[in-house]
Amino acid sequence: LWRLEYCARLLKTNHSRTAASNTSFPAVWMLLAQHSGRIPGLFVVVKKNTYFTMPETVEDKTNPELYLPHPGVRGMTLLNREAFKRTMVVPALKVKKEIVHHVLKSLKQSVLQRPGLKRVVEDPEDEDSRFVILDPHKVPEFSLGEAEQQVLKQLSVHPEVCRYQLELTYENFKSEEILRAVLPEGQEVTSGFSRVGHIAHLNLRDHQLPYRHLIGQVIMDKNPGITCVVNKTNIIDSTYRNFEMEVLAGENNLVTKVKENNISYELDFSKVYWNPRLSTEHGRIVELLRAGDVLFDVFAGVGPFAIPAAKRNCRVFANDLNPDSYSWLLHNCRLNKVDTKVRAFNMDGRDFLRGPVREELSKELPLLKEEYKTAFHIVMNLPALAVEFLDVFRHLLVGEPCSPAALPTVHCYGFSKHSDPARDIQERAEAALGTSLAGRCSTVLVRNVAPNKEMLCLSFQIPADVLYKRPCP
């Protein structure tokens, strides 16, 4: 008996893991034989009690048309919400309204759980009764199991399952279901997007472009708070790191407000760069800073590194070449009441490093004593080009090197399509600096940008022999 119970549990566990792969009879027999010893008749008993009555075996594949919009919407490019109406027959129980709550509680595994659809509906022919809608995936044969029938008998409910005509409308379908029904069969469906305040930002593929306005409207309908949907029309390759975009649906208002790590920012999404997927990375770098540290943000954007650093009582020098980014940076500093702690610049990155950064380091580093705890951080978040700016650090300062502990730490971002992206970005940085960083740097994978394209952050202290040029005797 112990062996029988153990094998039943084992079979149930392994079957629930592999239900989607359609576990075959020989595979189940081998699994059972492996753990049951030599009891030939055991499999028949376990198979009857676990394999066929497992709720996990009932999947959407039993009826692929369930919860799909009307097939006539295929190829639609202009959204017609009325065309999505369809009526499907679902299992239901007729129950006295006084005990509906008890039935729902007792049959919670079989009752319809789909968001947006009522589980209990009125009976038009009997005001004292209600229909409890059952999940057609859990009750595919319109009949309940023995256990459920026993529960209903205890509640004095007739266990007969009736057929109820359930009307589904556009509002009842999820965005992915709508788009899968509209786009040509077999083609990729886009239902994900980046949210920037009230704006949904899509990156549509070529085959999706004929449906772009419909896709935009669906995204706006199904996501409360979204009032504008845009699609990027070219890659970010301009000097100012912004990109052209097309408004697909909603209002043409691209000035928005976002909140990241409890700090608010305002920006014009069409003129500056903002990526909500970098929130964690912004927070990671800021957590490295302590009060009194100095941050040089070479490509600051609207301030996602600079403003949180200033909030931690760091001294911040923030720069961006894009005049719109510079303007919004100043605005956000005032918005967050850190404008007195941030010195903002509108310069080329090289000029910023050779000007304000060199001036500040030349002034501060010679004054530092061994016990002084100020740290200098230089953030270079321009992944497409930042590595190429590292050569600026060669002999940036003149004089005797400061204490090794006081050497500035650089956080340089880059893209890589290499099979070993960490080694790739390190080798490129070493070529720009003219020295080896082996054992003197760390690499963090920030995010996957595209298939076979990674964004990484390389952090290192600038070697003294790179940063300093010693004066001739």
Side-chain angles (χ1 to χ4, degrees), residues 126-146:
D126 185 357
E127 63 179 16
D128 294 328
S129 298
R130 299 289 184 269
F131 283 114
V132 175
I133 309 300
L134 304 178
D135 189 335
H137 295 92
K138 304 289 181 62
V139 192
E141 301 298 330
F142 288 82
S143 62
L144 294 170
E146 287 293 331

Side-chain angles (χ1 to χ4, degrees), residues 70-113:
H70 192 282
V73 302
R74 179 78 66 192
M76 178 188 294
T77 56
L78 184 64
L79 183 61
N80 177 10
R81 296 175 181 84
E82 291 296 315
F84 287 84
K85 283 185 178 179
R86 65 166 296 194
T87 300
M88 58 182 290
V89 179
V90 296
L93 286 172
K94 187 173 181 178
V95 178
K96 291 296 181 181
K97 65 180 181 180
E98 293 83 8
I99 60 170
V100 165
H101 173 73
H102 299 290
V103 173
L104 290 175
K105 188 175 180 179
S106 302
L107 300 182
K108 59 183 178 180
Q109 297 298 327
S110 302
V111 173
L112 183 68
Q113 300 289 344

Side-chain angles (χ1 to χ4, degrees), residues 1-13 29 31-33 35-51:
L1 288 175
W2 175 85
R3 250 183 230 277
L4 174 61
E5 183 180 356
Y6 171 76
C7 292
R9 289 200 309 269
L10 183 68
L11 180 58
K12 182 175 180 179
T13 301
W29 168 248
L31 174 68
L32 204 55
H35 295 279
S36 64
R38 299 180 179 180
I39 308 177
L42 184 63
F43 177 73
V44 178
V45 177
V46 176
K47 179 172 180 289
K48 287 182 179 179
N49 286 289
T50 62
Y51 188 78

Side-chain angles (χ1 to χ4, degrees), residues 410-423:
V410 173
H411 308 282
C412 181
Y413 292 84
F415 293 134
S416 177
K417 294 183 178 181
H418 197 273
S419 58
D420 187 348
R423 181 166 64 87

